[in-house]
């Protein structure tokens, strides 16, 4: 069965490593923070200038001057640092973030990603997403495999305006974990109970299916 | 005012010289760390045709959004403008122009503008709409686009503490765009919560040295919260 | 070592992986704020053919100058190297190469290297030997040259206080090149006077966030003074 | 009579204004700090990262961590700020310093300056001088009018490698105060007791001499 949002976050969380500095985008990526394995230390970067983002504050702790990139009130963990937007993106652009997790509308076999703009709808802006995909070595895109109307989001070529070119190497969807290399999607894992045929059916871009496709561990 | 005392008594005097058609750079992220008092003064003055460089444009009735009510803004240079109905209306009816700029590029454009760097290369936006029409160059086998810096007629920033010389300290993530913005104004005006005397701040712990600040006012702040998210105490 | 604890017990372990021919970026200005302990360790190891990016090269018997004694340095990238006889000898006999770089350009090259900016335009050096062979471009009627950023295999910095996560605070003007240097190493090693626990430093008052620091040692410091100038107490 | 080093500094000090941020180079420029007019506040920037440089410390105050760009132990004044070299030169390059005073080997009618390198002698380096002359709007060069061997240092064209091109507009020498514009030196003031003929004799570049040349006020 297709993964729930929480399960998607759990699968992504398995890519965390002890001592990682991680930037989590808005939406499903944010949920990853709930599944950091016990005994592992991970520090969350929020691109508005906070390294070491903690959980939401209690009512008593709420502080208008301490928010995350989603403009939510947050807390800072022990050992956090706070800095300007220029310093924050120096950090991001300079490749110092170990892992970036973000959502997308589309990803294609060249590693292109479209995530910020649907022509004809209101343009809200790319925020920090273009900097994040250009700056990080290690990016995971997490999204549903297909749109609500059933159209594949893993394409031969993105149709929407790009957020970044040739920068995505790993995708976790509700159906599968895939890697992108040599102009193809490489199927690495399938969601528990999901058939390879289903994944192939929902993947518009060229898909390489190995002889055996293990089930995801969550 | 003599020597390095930058304190001005009123927001009105702090914006002396502000004219229609000018470019303003404003600090803040969402509604956090925004120059509330100076924005209110711009609304009061009714200055028009402004180009405003700011990561966001506030909400309908707070922050830079209040300048949309009387159509004072001609153009916004921002990375994200999603929280605002008036903004949408004016964009759609063609009276407001929007130059979307990636958040990190925007911060670096301000920083470069203040630092005398007219342009820099970045990978951000290469291969996207942002890169269209911009110079592309390879370094170490990777493609980068050339981005030009930004300076403003005025820069408006909000700090937590300042001494009279304009040395600024920001509080928590209300720092955000304020330090790079402060460097990039021909005239930079800071509004602060707490005003102290020179010598009260540790010289090595100043976020923005007073050299960047031309005028300083002590303000009062609503500090509206955009997304009040909480957890239940354990 | 687990999680974000960057503390390493010895200078030797802190330079694990240092090899002949590598490029090192070092913080410090003159003899102020230099990584004394790590420099001593490089001398002990006898690593050779090093390219060292540092504003100065110490004096004959202190700072980076001690690496000249055994001819460990192949090339210096510096803005000023005047205080050193060995330096002069090796430059004249052709065994040492020197790439003179204006001080501000040097600082910005490090900052850009750490910030993912491969190149930037600056007016500094236009029309001089520094500008020869470099791209020239006009912005707003003024000529600028294109300068490329610098990164190193290692960056070595010296801070005053640090917590175990590598969050650094510098003291007085011993800050100098250390913050930009810290961002530009593939492996950055910091040596500090005072080691504290995470949480002991105010998050908004950290000069260099721990994300830039890979290894941390607590050192002992001579802090030699290059020009001891004093006045008579009034 | 030609001005002494102290008198040169006094003349330069007359260009200070209340509230100026000033960078003083090594040598004669440093002496300018001794002649800040009473009642005027000036803040000295030292390019190693100190805005608000104070006098030398007393023996008890000496601190190896507090030096100026000449590597001398100094103090910080009330209201000073301290920052990194990157920030310091952002300040300089961005034109935020109100006045820069520095020495030179040569200056020419195009406003070129040579101050860091004499070929054949050991190259010590330009330090921050190239950044300072490129970054400042308002620069005063102060030097002797001629070398010890009597050769003019105000030339039709610099012969030594340049520190900066077309950036100098004002020169204070031991003989005169001159401005540079339209490819000429414009004589504005003469040192007390110095004849215009003497200045003309010692100026190799084209010199414009007005009908009356006032004596310098010190």
């Amino acid at each position: 069965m297709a993964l729930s949002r929480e399960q998607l976050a759990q699968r992504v969380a398995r890519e965390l490593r002890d001592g990682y500095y991680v930037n989590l985008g808005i939406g499903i990526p944010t949920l990853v923070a709930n599944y950091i394995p016990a005994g592992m230390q991970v520090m969350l970067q929020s691109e508005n200038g906070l390294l070491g983002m903690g959980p939401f504050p209690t009512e008593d702790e709420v502080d208008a001057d301490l928010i995350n990139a989603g403009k939510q009130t947050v807390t800072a963990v022990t050992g956090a640092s706070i800095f300007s937007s220029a310093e924050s993106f120096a950090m991001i652009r300079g490749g110092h973030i170990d892992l970036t997790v973000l959502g997308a509308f589309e990803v294609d076999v060249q590693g292109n990603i479209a995530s910020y703009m649907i022509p004809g709808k209101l343009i809200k802006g790319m925020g920090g997403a273009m900097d994040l995909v250009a700056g990080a070595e290690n990016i995971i895109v997490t999204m549903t495999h297909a749109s609500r109307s059933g159209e594949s989001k893993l394409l031969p070529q993105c149709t929407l305006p790009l957020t970044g070119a040739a920068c995505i190497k790993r995708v976790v969807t509700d159906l599968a974990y895939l890697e992108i290399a040599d102009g193809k999607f490489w199927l690495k894992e399938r969601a528990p109970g999901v058939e390879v045929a289903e994944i192939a059916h929902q993947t518009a871009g060229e898909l390489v299916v190995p002889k055996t496709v293990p089930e995801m561990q969550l | 005012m003599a020597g390095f005392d930058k304190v001005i008594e009123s927001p009105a005097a702090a914006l002396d010289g502000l004219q229609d058609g000018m470019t303003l750079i404003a600090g803040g992220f969402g509604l956090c760390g925004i120059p509330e008092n100076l924005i209110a003064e711009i609304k009061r003055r009714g200055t028009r045709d402004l180009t405003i460089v700011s990561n966001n444009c506030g909400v309908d009735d707070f922050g830079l959004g209040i300048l949309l009510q009387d159509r004072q803004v001609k153009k916004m240079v921002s990375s994200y403008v999603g929280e605002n109905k008036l903004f949408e209306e004016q964009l759609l009816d063609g009276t407001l122009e929007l130059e979307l700029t990636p958040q990190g590029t925007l911060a670096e454009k301000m920083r470069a503008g203040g630092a005398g760097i007219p342009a820099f290369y970045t990978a951000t936006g290469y291969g996207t709409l942002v890169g269209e029409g911009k110079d592309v160059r390879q370094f170490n086998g990777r493609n980068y686009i050339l981005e030009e810096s930004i300076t403003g007629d005025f820069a408006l920033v909000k700090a937590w503490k300042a001494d009279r010389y304009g040395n600024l300290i920001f509080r928590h993530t209300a720092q955000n765009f304020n330090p790079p913005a402060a460097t990039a104004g021909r005239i930079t005006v800071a509004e602060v919560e707490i005003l102290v005397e020179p010598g009260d701040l540790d010289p090595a712990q100043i976020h923005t040295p007073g050299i960047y600040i031309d005028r300083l006012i002590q303000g009062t702040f609503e500090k509206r919260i955009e997304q009040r998210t909480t957890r239940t105490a354990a």
Side-chain angles (χ1 to χ4, degrees), chain A residues 56-57 63 65 73 124 131, chain B residues 81 104 142 171 223 229 231:
Chain A
F56 293 149
D63 188 328
D65 289 338
T73 46
K124 292 192 170 186
D131 309 278
Chain B
V81 291
R142 193 167 179 206
R171 189 165 170 276
K223 292 202 191 180
T229 45
R231 73 177 196 279

Side-chain angles (χ1 to χ4, degrees), chain A residues 83-95:
Chain A
F83 33 79
S84 75
S85 301
E87 176 60 41
S88 184
F89 282 93
M91 204 174 269
I92 290 168
R93 201 189 303 103

